[in-house]
Amino acid sequence: MSKKTNNRALAVSQKVYGWLLRAYPPAHREEYGPAMAQLFRDQGRDAWSESRGWGMTKLWLRVLPDLVNTSITERLSALNPRKSMSDKMTALFRPLTSPLTGFFTVFTVVFLMVLLVSIVITFILPESYASTARIKVESGTPPVAGQPSYDPYFIQTTFEVIQSQMVLNPVIDKLKLNVQWGKKYFAGQTLKSSETMEILKQRLQLAPVKNTSLIAITVYSDDRNEAAQIANAIAEAYRDYRIKSHDELAAKGIDVLQQQYKLQEEQIQQVQSDVDSLHQQLKIASDAAASQSPQEQPYWDQRHQWERLLRVHELLYSKLEAEKLDALLPQRLVQITDTAEPGRAPVKPNKTLNIFIGAVAGGFLGLVAGAASAFVSFKSGNHGRKDVASA
């Protein structure tokens, strides 16, 4: 197992070093590349035998700064022809003469590499545009006496309704997203509505506008026009859903009132028939309550009930007419206060923020790597001086 680890660690290090040699000019690589690679392999085996992973780490911290320095020098100017090949390779693998030089070299290399990677990734990531439509929503529930009219769950309930099938399915059908996104992202395969809805939910963001009854509907897309179309379609679909729900609820309420009104009419007719019958049976001469006799009491009781039913019937009729009138009036439960417009510039990725984070991360990693390199250089220098003194 140790031998396999040894071979694998050395093989990876040698492969990486061979790739790094590309930093040198082609002529330099052709002349010195094989010898430099062989020397690195020999030193790598010695470093592994001496202290395994830590030995390889020290080797890399010693080699990398000089490799950067010499490769840049070779790119800028020709090598001194009077220098022998052995002198050049020895200079490449010698310990750093100054820990401070090693620190700044490694810091610069790591910082620039991390920053470069962050820049490349930032510009490779696909751009995303955002469009926002804003709607004003009302609960539509009349306040109840003695109870607060504020519903703490209304906004959250609204968010869930907007993201439900009742609202998003009409949007998918209206914009033909199953077909459009199938062509765009799935090689022309038409998507199922459930699949399209999952993608749509991932691109949809809902947020309340602070201290208002407004809700912001934001949609993200790589197509600025598509983002605006979807945001507006969702706002319209939710408005239509609320109107339809209100109309259905109002229609059910009117049906219930009409049924009650009809039953009361039948009850009034029955009581009126009983009153007329008692009037004839008891031979009531006058309707004046003051002249009533005890034997006429059933008639008067029935008459009072008939009058009470008439009053209730009138109130019910007024309520029924009010409900019908309310159903005919335009509803303002949802108002689209701001329609979505195509975004002028992409909002993702945030290039400035990403590059700033890359610079901060590069600086931190550069400090760590530079400090480690300086420490190794310092130790190597002390070890060399001790060897010279002992000799």
Side-chain angles (χ1 to χ4, degrees):
M1 181 69 180
S2 176
K3 185 175 181 180
K4 290 182 179 179
T5 303
N6 182 3
N7 293 338
R8 185 165 57 250
L10 290 177
V12 171
S13 295
Q14 292 166 11
K15 185 176 181 180
V16 172
Y17 183 77
W19 182 82
L20 291 175
L21 287 178
R22 298 179 183 179
Y24 289 96
H28 184 89
R29 290 201 309 270
E30 183 178 355
E31 185 175 359
Y32 302 117
M36 294 169 69
Q38 180 61 47
L39 183 57
F40 181 83
R41 284 194 293 270
D42 295 339
Q43 292 200 358
R45 284 193 293 267
D46 294 341
W48 181 266
S49 300
E50 179 182 351
S51 51
R52 296 186 178 276
W54 175 239
M56 294 299 298
T57 301
K58 290 192 295 183
L59 175 63
W60 273 110
L61 289 174
R62 187 172 73 250
V63 169
L64 185 59
D66 278 343
L67 187 146
V68 174
N69 283 330
T70 55
S71 63
I72 294 175
T73 302
E74 293 294 338
R75 289 284 182 179
L76 296 177
S77 63
L79 288 171
N80 188 346
R82 290 176 296 177
K83 254 186 189 178
S84 65
M85 179 181 68
S86 60
D87 291 337
K88 294 171 184 177
M89 289 188 296
T90 302
L92 176 62
F93 289 92
R94 73 178 185 277
L96 291 174
T97 57
S98 170
L100 188 60
T101 301
F103 170 82
F104 282 112
T105 301
V106 172
F107 172 83
T108 302
V109 171
V110 173
F111 173 79
L112 292 178
M113 288 181 63
V114 174
L115 180 61
L116 180 62
V117 169
S118 67
I119 293 174
V120 171
I121 292 176
T122 297
F123 283 92
I124 288 178
L125 289 174
E127 294 181 338
S128 179
Y129 295 85
S131 290
T132 301
R134 300 205 302 177
I135 59 175
K136 181 181 179 182
V137 293
E138 302 291 345
S139 65
T141 303
V144 180
Q147 296 184 6
S149 58
Y150 172 70
D151 182 2
Y153 304 105
F154 175 69
I155 291 295
Q156 186 60 41
T157 301
T158 301
F159 286 176
E160 295 301 322
V161 171
I162 292 176
Q163 298 178 87
S164 67
Q165 295 181 3
M166 296 177 292
V167 174
L168 295 186
N169 271 340
V171 174
I172 294 172
D173 294 338
K174 178 181 179 180
L175 301 180
K176 300 179 180 180
L177 295 181
N178 289 337
V179 177
Q180 296 296 331
W181 285 357
K183 292 179 179 178
K184 192 172 183 180
Y185 303 113
F186 296 91
Q189 180 181 1
T190 301
L191 301 179
K192 298 179 181 178
S193 295
S194 58
E195 297 172 337
T196 305
M197 188 173 300
E198 288 301 317
I199 299 175
L200 182 55
K201 286 182 179 180
Q202 293 173 3
R203 299 183 175 190
L204 174 63
Q205 178 179 330
L206 304 173
V209 179
K210 189 176 181 180
N211 298 327
T212 69
S213 58
L214 300 180
I215 293 177
I217 302 174
T218 303
V219 176
Y220 297 89
S221 175
D222 55 359
D223 185 335
R224 68 183 74 192
N225 294 319
E226 181 183 72
Q229 290 175 356
I230 295 176
N232 289 328
I234 292 175
E236 294 169 0
Y238 177 66
R239 179 194 59 192
D240 296 343
Y241 162 78
R242 288 293 304 275
I243 293 175
K244 181 180 178 181
S245 298
H246 178 271
D247 291 345
E248 291 177 350
L249 186 61
K252 290 181 180 179
I254 291 174
D255 288 342
V256 171
L257 290 176
Q258 286 178 335
Q259 292 176 7
Q260 293 178 353
Y261 186 81
K262 184 177 181 181
L263 289 175
Q264 279 196 348
E265 278 189 330
E266 295 174 355
Q267 188 177 5
I268 288 172
Q269 291 176 0
Q270 180 63 43
V271 174
Q272 186 175 6
S273 176
D274 294 340
V275 169
D276 293 340
S277 177
L278 288 173
H279 188 276
Q280 294 178 0
Q281 291 178 9
L282 299 176
K283 298 179 179 180
I284 304 298
S286 174
D287 288 340
S291 62
Q292 68 183 29
S293 60
Q295 62 271 21
E296 296 175 352
Q297 189 63 40
Y299 166 79
W300 294 111
D301 291 342
Q302 198 72 5
R303 182 180 176 86
H304 290 158
Q305 181 181 1
W306 174 72
E307 292 174 348
R308 185 173 63 255
L309 288 174
L310 284 177
R311 289 193 295 270
V312 173
H313 194 59
E314 291 176 357
L315 293 175
L316 185 60
Y317 176 79
S318 299
K319 185 176 181 180
L320 178 59
E321 291 301 313
E323 290 291 333
K324 289 180 179 179
L325 180 61
D326 183 65
L328 295 175
L329 295 176
Q331 301 301 318
R332 296 290 183 180
L333 299 176
V334 178
Q335 299 180 51
I336 301 177
T337 59
D338 299 283
T339 57
E341 297 292 338
R344 295 183 179 180
V347 295
K348 295 180 181 179
N350 190 328
K351 297 178 181 179
T352 303
L353 178 60
N354 288 359
I355 294 174
F356 174 77
I357 293 175
V360 172
F364 175 75
L365 295 175
L367 286 174
V368 174
S373 175
F375 176 77
V376 171
S377 176
F378 177 76
K379 288 293 185 180
S380 299
N382 286 344
H383 181 70
R385 285 194 291 271
K386 287 180 180 179
D387 289 345
V388 172
S390 61

